[in-house]
Amino acid sequence: MSAPNTDRPPTARSDHSPWNWLLVLPIIIPLLPFLFNSDEPRLFGFPLFYWLQLAFIAIGVTCTTIVYRVSRRNGR
Amino acid sequence: MSEHVTEIIIFTVLFLTVSVMGFVAARWRRPENLDSLNEWGLGGRNFGSWITWFLVGGDLYTAYTFVAVPALVFGAGAMGFFAVPYTVIVYPIVFLVLLRLWSVSHVHGFVTPADFVRARFGSPTLALLIAITGIVATMPYIALQLVGIEAVLKSMGITGTGFFSQLPIIIAFAILAAYTYQSGLRAPALIAFVKDTLIYIVILVAIVYIPTRLGGWDSIFDKAQQKFTDSAAKGDGILLNAGNQLQYVTLALGSALALFLYPHSITGVLASRNRNVIKRNMSALPAYSLLLGLIAILGYMAIAAGTTPIGKDNNTIVPRLFDQMFPDWFTGVAYAAIAIGALVPAAIMSIAAANLFTRNIYREYLKPDATDAEEARVSKLVSLAVKIGAVLCIIFLDLQFAIDLQLIGGVVILQTLPSVAIGLYTRWFHRGGLVAGWVAGMAAGVMMLYTIPNPVSGKAHFGGSAFSLGNLGFDTTTTVYAGLLALIVNLVVAAVATVICRRAGVAEGTDTTRPDHYLADEGDPRVKDLELDGTTAPSPTEAPPAPTTTAT
């Protein structure tokens, strides 16, 4: 979703940034069952289905953190 | 009951401790007075990153979740793990949306999502629909928090018969109602610290200690697979099958889209101090998702340990597992964690529902010139009424009724997405179109849920949210989350009706928000809109009071 640009705010502020596209990754990846719907390989006894989906949490954290850091640097 | 004495003592001590904290919270970060919704209902809109993390975490990951998700994994296997992708994708989805909602609410002093819709589309009717949807979706959710408490009480052997069996729950909710009345949002915010700390400790101990008693993780998963292979039911197993993959994905996506439309989630977000607090929390809240994933696997541990639920109530499976594995005193701590975990969301939900009533029904239709103090008083009383309603619901109606209603609640709250979430980005939809889409989405959602049977419990209707595409004439056994289908119906009807309204020249309604309002941050000037907030009317350029601490 992106805002229509017809009426730009009078200030220089914007919540647009190419970095925001990074947020798409952790939305799409966890919704692709063929990536994780398997027992093997197991990790510490966890089937792939469980450890990989738990690992997706790290992707989510990484992407949101990067977007946050970039937005702070740009003063948005 | 006698073998549970240690548990009951520890449980009672911890429960009473947080009750005292709830009352003391009125003095915490004390404002000059609590007589406005800003203070009572939103904690002064001044919570920093840590408080927000505990508050929103305690708000979203409820006791019901902690009890019901492992129960689902225990019963059906992999399908119950949908809670993990659900709570991974939700934060990137709402990251940018919530920032816009926070900013425009900050500028205009909105307390509820319906306040925003009222100002954005200039339609009290649409705002009323949004408010009613929010209240209807929240009420059964509050009642369900009692399920968490009840599961724990049952496991401690506190059963009794008739009225006395309900007495502990009535006492617990009476205490909860009293301190929420007095302290508002500050009470759950303070209690959330204790609740979450206890839960993290209990779960970490559980996932380190219990597997050593059960022969390691390999053995736990293998035993679970064995149980599902032996069972007659189709569709269970530690992996997904061809028939339920789409359900898994659509349920995760639909639930994620719905989560931050719930009024109580929005209350937690609006109480934060500035945009950075929200951004930081979008990266920090997934810590709870990890916790939830580990809790889900407790369902398999229960299988491996041969734990049996009390009666047919699978919700008792986690309390029973703790009782079986832990020494009595630690079981008491774990039980207290679950019960206290019910109080935090129940308090926030009742505040959110009360705010919706006060702002979008009472003020809009009954007493347009209500002062801030009157609003706060009405909200406090309504929050009491909401909790009494939840208790009555549990006492006089079947618990299953609350579970059904909560299932419907998730589907109906999704129908506010076009007005609230899409409305934050574009005003393309006509208010008439949004009303039409809401009606169509609601009807489609409830009708689909009605057709869904549950072979396990033998129910003919409202047996789940997995709608079979076979019903639409497709030759398949694939199922899809009904809420998402209803949302598609909603969007299509809203779009068509929008075009029709425009062609027919139906009035648009006034938008009192401006594009820069969606980007405002702490310290930016606020509009004290006379119509929405008629008590104090400073000039629109007046700056808010300087924050006492700066953002870190």
Side-chain angles (χ1 to χ4, degrees):
Chain A
M1 282 186 282
S2 67
N5 283 337
T6 49
D7 39 5
R8 302 286 301 184
T11 58
R13 271 195 208 154
S14 163
D15 55 1
H16 294 241
S17 161
W19 288 93
N20 290 348
W21 287 102
L22 214 49
L23 295 173
V24 174
L25 278 183
I27 299 174
I28 300 292
I29 292 174
L31 297 180
L32 302 173
F34 67 85
L35 290 179
F36 51 79
N37 194 27
S38 158
D39 193 326
E40 303 289 334
R42 288 196 174 193
L43 183 70
F44 307 117
F46 279 63
L48 179 78
F49 184 84
Y50 298 90
W51 69 258
L52 189 55
Q53 290 196 76
L54 289 175
F56 289 159
I57 297 173
I59 298 181
V61 171
T62 308
C63 291
T64 46
T65 305
I66 292 172
V67 173
Y68 162 54
R69 297 266 163 173
V70 171
S71 78
R72 199 173 52 170
R73 204 179 56 209
N74 296 348
R76 282 170 188 149
Chain B
M1 186 166 156
S2 56
E3 73 264 36
H4 294 290
V5 171
T6 316
E7 291 168 9
I8 293 172
I9 292 173
I10 301 266
F11 176 87
T12 310
V13 167
L14 284 170
F15 196 89
L16 289 179
T17 307
V18 298
S19 302
V20 173
M21 285 180 69
F23 287 106
V24 173
R27 299 170 185 276
W28 179 49
R29 302 164 69 94
R30 189 177 179 76
E32 283 177 17
N33 70 62
L34 267 170
D35 294 335
S36 75
L37 284 191
N38 246 341
E39 291 298 340
W40 183 82
L42 289 177
R45 295 183 197 256
N46 199 22
F47 289 154
S49 296
W50 277 103
I51 301 174
T52 302
W53 187 72
F54 279 110
L55 179 72
V56 177
D59 185 15
L60 302 186
Y61 300 79
T62 69
Y64 177 67
T65 320
F66 286 162
V67 166
V69 167
L72 192 58
V73 169
F74 175 82
M79 195 63 213
F81 212 63
F82 88 95
V84 171
Y86 157 29
T87 55
V88 171
I89 66 176
V90 64
Y91 301 108
I93 287 178
V94 300
F95 189 101
L96 299 167
V97 186
L98 290 181
L99 291 173
R100 291 176 73 85
L101 179 65
W102 184 90
S103 289
V104 73
S105 303
H106 173 80
V107 172
H108 288 265
F110 299 149
V111 180
T112 70
D115 281 349
F116 162 71
V117 170
R118 166 86 168 79
R120 176 64 148 167
F121 295 99
S123 169
T125 312
L126 185 58
L128 178 68
L129 291 180
I130 302 295
I132 291 174
T133 316
I135 293 170
V136 167
T138 308
M139 290 284 289
Y141 218 158
I142 300 173
L144 273 193
Q145 298 310 315
L146 293 162
V147 177
I149 300 183
E150 197 170 56
V152 165
L153 291 175
K154 264 193 201 170
S155 306
M156 289 194 296
I158 303 174
T159 44
T161 51
F163 175 74
F164 288 101
S165 68
Q166 309 286 0
L167 198 56
I169 281 192
I170 294 174
I171 294 172
F173 250 50
I175 296 174
L176 169 72
Y179 64 66
T180 310
Y181 181 89
Q182 179 176 333
S183 309
L185 195 64
R186 283 176 170 79
L190 197 57
I191 292 172
F193 282 95
V194 181
K195 172 232 162 182
D196 293 341
T197 309
L198 284 178
I199 293 214
Y200 275 105
I201 292 172
V202 168
I203 299 308
L204 287 177
V205 170
I207 59 152
V208 172
Y209 172 70
I210 297 180
T212 63
R213 297 264 311 264
L214 297 174
W217 290 103
D218 260 314
S219 155
I220 290 171
F221 284 105
D222 289 342
K223 281 183 181 139
Q225 182 54 51
Q226 191 58 45
K227 177 201 154 178
F228 294 127
T229 312
D230 295 345
S231 83
K234 282 192 300 177
D236 59 3
I238 65 168
L239 296 178
L240 299 173
N241 56 50
N244 64 10
Q245 286 193 19
L246 194 60
Q247 166 71 5
Y248 187 84
V249 167
T250 51
L251 182 57
L253 178 62
S255 307
L257 292 174
L259 185 61
F260 276 93
L261 293 168
Y262 274 105
H264 63 275
S265 317
I266 292 178
T267 299
V269 169
L270 294 188
S272 50
R273 184 193 294 148
N274 57 35
R275 286 166 68 100
N276 274 340
V277 168
I278 298 173
K279 291 182 200 166
R280 215 174 280 136
N281 267 284
M282 291 298 110
S283 341
L285 280 167
Y288 286 93
S289 307
L290 181 62
L291 187 71
L292 182 57
L294 297 171
I295 289 173
I297 295 173
L298 290 178
Y300 289 155
M301 292 186 194
I303 295 175
T307 310
T308 50
I310 297 174
K312 283 185 173 172
D313 183 5
N314 272 1
N315 285 329
T316 56
I317 203 72
V318 164
R320 292 275 287 170
L321 176 71
F322 288 162
D323 193 27
Q324 193 180 341
M325 290 289 163
F326 291 147
D328 283 353
W329 69 271
F330 196 71
T331 307
V333 174
Y335 285 2
I338 295 175
I340 297 167
L343 301 181
V344 172
I348 305 172
M349 286 167 191
S350 68
I351 289 170
N355 289 348
L356 280 170
F357 175 82
T358 306
R359 296 281 294 201
N360 309 109
I361 296 174
Y362 178 74
R363 159 150 237 166
E364 187 73 57
Y365 293 99
L366 301 176
K367 196 156 188 293
D369 57 345
T371 63
D372 281 0
E374 278 177 292
E375 278 191 7
R377 202 187 65 237
V378 171
S379 253
K380 285 170 148 185
L381 290 173
V382 174
S383 85
L384 284 184
V386 163
K387 286 194 207 72
I388 293 170
V391 172
L392 292 179
C393 182
I394 292 292
I395 295 176
F396 292 109
L397 297 173
D398 188 3
L399 186 63
Q400 189 57 44
F401 191 63
I403 296 174
D404 291 353
L405 282 178
Q406 201 263 344
L407 179 76
I408 299 171
V411 173
V412 304
I413 200 70
L414 254 184
Q415 307 315 317
T416 65
L417 183 137
S419 305
V420 179
I422 298 179
L424 284 165
Y425 282 89
T426 170
R427 213 172 165 280
W428 181 81
F429 283 113
H430 191 283
R431 54 184 181 174
L434 289 168
V435 171
W438 181 90
V439 171
M442 284 292 197
V446 174
M447 265 157 43
M448 278 187 274
L449 290 175
Y450 182 79
T451 65
I452 298 171
N454 187 335
V456 179
S457 61
K459 282 163 45 121
H461 304 292
F462 299 114
S465 60
F467 182 73
S468 172
L469 289 180
N471 290 342
L472 299 178
F474 294 99
D475 180 23
T476 173
T477 55
T478 301
T479 57
V480 175
Y481 177 51
L484 217 52
L485 287 179
L487 178 61
I488 293 170
V489 171
N490 182 336
L491 286 168
V492 170
V493 171
V496 171
T498 293
V499 173
I500 294 173
C501 285
R502 294 256 155 78
R503 288 272 168 84
V506 180
E508 287 277 355
T510 321
D511 180 4
T512 57
T513 67
R514 289 204 322 257
D516 57 314
H517 293 168
Y518 295 88
L519 305 168
D521 206 346
E522 178 187 25
D524 287 341
R526 301 182 196 197
V527 177
K528 287 247 175 175
D529 194 306
L530 279 169
E531 200 174 3
L532 278 168
D533 192 349
T535 50
T536 49
S539 67
T541 52
E542 188 208 48
T548 46
T549 48
T550 49
T552 47

